[in-house]
Amino acid sequence: MTTSMTIDLKPTATPLSDDERAARMTNPGFGRVFTEHMVTIRWSEGRGWHDAQLTPYASLDIDPANMTLHYGQSIFEGLKAYRHADGSIVTFRPEENAKRFQASARRLAMPEIPVELFVEACDALVKQDRAWVPGAEEQSLYLRPFMFATEVGLGVRPSNEFLFMVIASPAGAYFAGGVKPVSVWLSKEYVRAAPGGTGAAKCAGNYAASLVAQAQAAEQGCDQVVWLDANERRWIEEMGGMNLYFVQGSGPGARILTPSLTGSLLPGITRASLLRLAEDRGYAVEEGKISVEDWQAGTADGSITEVFACGTAAVITPVGSVKSTDASWTVGDGGAGPVTMELRKALTDIQTGNAADTHDWLHKI
Ligand code: PMP
């Protein structure tokens, strides 16, 4: 099977009117409104990737013995398409999502879709549904590529057929009233990932397993969970859907630290991009280890000035306060710090076309 495949375009015969679409795109929130099309590509043992189609968005017919429902071979990605002032549309580093999707597939014993085909599928959907890409500030079209087992049967083994899909959802501003710091709960009872586990993969089960801790965070009055390492419950790993950054010191001499990719946290594309952008700006950047005690002591003695989380959905979110079973503290003054906001602007300016794309990160549709 070649890596370049023609996607058979079978668009809807009854497209929405401009007014109907505009009504659905008003205050879309996140992940509740979907565009009019979807891409499907099948994989089967012996045949490889085939039957690539763009069709009207529709329900799927699932057999009760579909293997995904029982054993969870299911992975996904998340990336965004942005409309620039000149009307052109771009996605941000889609090849990186494709490579991470391949890594997730390997970990879950699933077939790897070629990078070119993954990107082609995203492009085809955005092209078809380009009217759904919002143009207002902080808005975008969120793309959700995913793949799951489609074999019917209850034997525990890798499925011999899979469905890869892309759907898209217009996303409003994550912070409608301006960037707002989040409060976080340090989860010591539950762990997200253990050495040798699936923490570095973007698989559905990781998120299912995180929900009870997220509920616990909410009970504690916190917005998000911060995950610690499985062995000692001491080292900071990441948040539920974002990686973490710690700023030490201030001004041009500030040092920026993010937990290293130990295998049990997700290698975020925003995280990787910010490492480069922080370096470009002359900050000392380090991937390393930081413990809960380091965080608490560094906040108390003023050496840790800012902490922020980063990911595709919210770009950068300041962390304002921290709570665990035995302590709670406020980071800096509890607001959004200058390094946090500088890096946020640096990244969003590239994504939205307001700054030069010096790293060649934008992919024109
Ligand atoms: N960690 C987890 C667990 C996530 O789900 C995400 C979102 N994909 C991230 C980190 C951030 O990754 P990215 O910057 O690629 O969105």
Side-chain angles (χ1 to χ4, degrees), residues 132-197:
W132 286 86
V133 184
E137 204 181 337
E138 300 259 337
Q139 297 194 3
S140 57
L141 183 67
Y142 181 80
L143 304 178
R144 168 55 63 89
F146 59 108
M147 174 166 58
F148 60 97
T150 48
E151 188 183 343
V152 173
L154 297 181
V156 181
R157 53 167 178 74
S159 172
N160 62 18
E161 50 176 58
F162 292 89
L163 186 62
F164 169 81
M165 299 187 65
V166 191
I167 55 175
S169 173
Y174 197 88
F175 297 108
V179 173
K180 195 174 137 280
V182 292
S183 54
V184 298
W185 167 249
L186 302 181
S187 175
K188 292 195 174 167
E189 184 176 356
Y190 300 108
V191 290
R192 175 181 175 278

Side-chain angles (χ1 to χ4, degrees), residues 100 192 202 207 238 240-243 266 268-270 310-312:
R100 187 169 66 188
R192 175 181 175 278
K202 208 160 162 56
Y207 297 82
E238 61 175 325
M242 302 178 97
N243 294 110
L266 196 81
I269 293 158
T270 318
C310 64
T312 298

Side-chain angles (χ1 to χ4, degrees), residues 73-235:
Q73 270 187 303
S74 177
I75 59 173
F76 66 99
E77 270 302 325
L79 69 160
K80 285 176 167 176
Y82 305 88
R83 184 184 294 279
H84 286 184
D86 65 0
S88 63
I89 295 173
V90 301
T91 48
F92 183 73
R93 309 188 76 182
E95 303 84 2
E96 295 304 311
N97 293 92
K99 286 187 227 158
R100 187 169 66 188
F101 196 69
Q102 290 184 325
S104 299
R106 282 195 296 276
R107 180 62 185 84
L108 277 276
M110 297 165 82
E112 292 175 50
I113 188 165
V115 168
E116 300 77 10
L117 187 52
F118 177 103
V119 174
E120 193 182 333
C122 293
D123 287 1
L125 184 59
V126 175
K127 244 181 222 155
Q128 181 65 44
D129 284 335
R130 59 188 305 123
W132 286 86
V133 184
E137 204 181 337
E138 300 259 337
Q139 297 194 3
S140 57
L141 183 67
Y142 181 80
L143 304 178
R144 168 55 63 89
F146 59 108
M147 174 166 58
F148 60 97
T150 48
E151 188 183 343
V152 173
L154 297 181
V156 181
R157 53 167 178 74
S159 172
N160 62 18
E161 50 176 58
F162 292 89
L163 186 62
F164 169 81
M165 299 187 65
V166 191
I167 55 175
S169 173
Y174 197 88
F175 297 108
V179 173
K180 195 174 137 280
V182 292
S183 54
V184 298
W185 167 249
L186 302 181
S187 175
K188 292 195 174 167
E189 184 176 356
Y190 300 108
V191 290
R192 175 181 175 278
T198 57
K202 208 160 162 56
C203 60
N206 285 349
Y207 297 82
S210 75
L211 299 176
V212 66
Q214 179 60 37
Q216 203 170 54
E219 271 166 32
Q220 295 292 332
C222 295
D223 300 311
Q224 291 286 335
V225 177
V226 165
W227 297 104
L228 306 176
D229 74 293
N231 293 332
E232 296 182 72
R233 312 279 162 99
R234 178 175 173 211
W235 304 101

